[in-house]
Amino acid sequence: GFLTRGETGKAIRAYSAILAGGGDELRELEAKRALDDLFRGGWKTAFAGSGEYVVQAGDSLWKISKRLGTTPGFLKFVNGKSNDTLKTGEHLVVVKGDFVVRVWKDTHILRLFVDDVFVREYVVGLGAGGCTPVGEFRIATRQEKPAWYYEGKVYPYGDPKNILGTRWMGFENKPGVTGYGIHGTAFPDSVGKDESSGCVRMYNHQVEELFDMVPIGARVVIRATR
């Protein structure tokens, strides 16, 4: 189909749609393999046509990302940059699309999609007794080295009683649904299990990667089943 006609971008989005739908496991495996092949040439291929920015004197990744509604981490990721250095006149692929984090409770899988393109997949820990809320949310806060507020007490980052790990991405509060978010964990053995108070737990090194890419306002869609 799309690949035989040279429509790589459409092929990437078609395979990504299979992973966003959370459907048949075999189809998902085939889609992942196809995307791995398509991304071998770098992520610029996936987002070709999304937009381009020419670096100006005095620019920084932080300034560009704030202006364009993305993050420095995602700019680096898409453009294959290993550091923050920019050169005047450098051409950057810029994605101003929709950031969506999708979570399936039955499989403990979290996937990141940007502009309908599958970017990353992680195994996550969820709420004991199925208490992680189902629905759509927005990332409202982002914190590095977060403090943990619990039962009227504050446990700063580094306190042995602080369970949040190295990063926190808090959801907007809704009636009856407050205090939830995505975070690292002091209990890595709980990832992949239902042991949290309802939040989405990740390994610290993986939540740091996700945190670097996901901006304030990103959507979070949590489903009970695939």
Side-chain angles (χ1 to χ4, degrees), residues 12-117:
I12 288 171
R13 282 166 175 77
Y15 287 125
S16 294
I18 293 172
L19 298 177
D24 177 75
E25 189 173 347
L26 182 58
R27 287 187 72 216
E28 287 193 345
L29 182 60
E30 292 173 348
K32 287 180 189 177
R33 288 173 175 167
L35 288 170
D36 283 343
D37 288 339
L38 289 167
F39 292 151
R40 289 189 196 285
W43 285 86
K44 285 187 176 183
T45 302
F47 296 101
S50 294
E52 186 177 79
Y53 180 83
V54 180
V55 176
Q56 309 296 310
D59 269 341
S60 67
L61 287 172
W62 183 85
K63 288 180 181 178
I64 295 169
S65 64
K66 186 176 181 181
R67 191 182 311 140
L68 299 178
T70 182
T71 63
F74 194 69
L75 277 176
K76 288 167 65 176
F77 174 77
V78 171
N79 290 280
K81 297 180 70 66
S82 59
N83 56 56
D84 294 348
T85 303
L86 295 175
K87 297 180 180 178
T88 301
E90 181 178 354
H91 289 245
L92 299 176
V93 170
V94 175
V95 182
K96 294 184 259 186
D98 195 19
F99 285 73
V100 184
V101 175
R102 298 187 181 276
V103 178
W104 289 268
K105 292 174 63 172
D106 60 337
T107 55
H108 294 84
I109 291 295
L110 179 155
R111 290 174 179 153
L112 172 64
F113 296 83
V114 183
D115 196 18
D116 296 325
V117 173

Side-chain angles (χ1 to χ4, degrees), residues 143-187:
Q143 291 178 284
E144 297 185 24
K145 300 181 178 180
W148 184 41
Y149 297 84
Y150 183 68
E151 294 186 342
K153 296 182 179 180
V154 181
Y155 300 97
Y157 178 79
D159 188 304
K161 294 181 180 179
N162 184 326
I163 67 169
L164 295 184
T166 58
R167 299 289 187 273
W168 167 261
M169 289 171 276
F171 301 166
E172 63 183 353
N173 290 328
K174 294 184 174 184
V177 185
T178 62
Y180 292 93
I182 301 169
H183 62 81
T185 182
F187 306 109

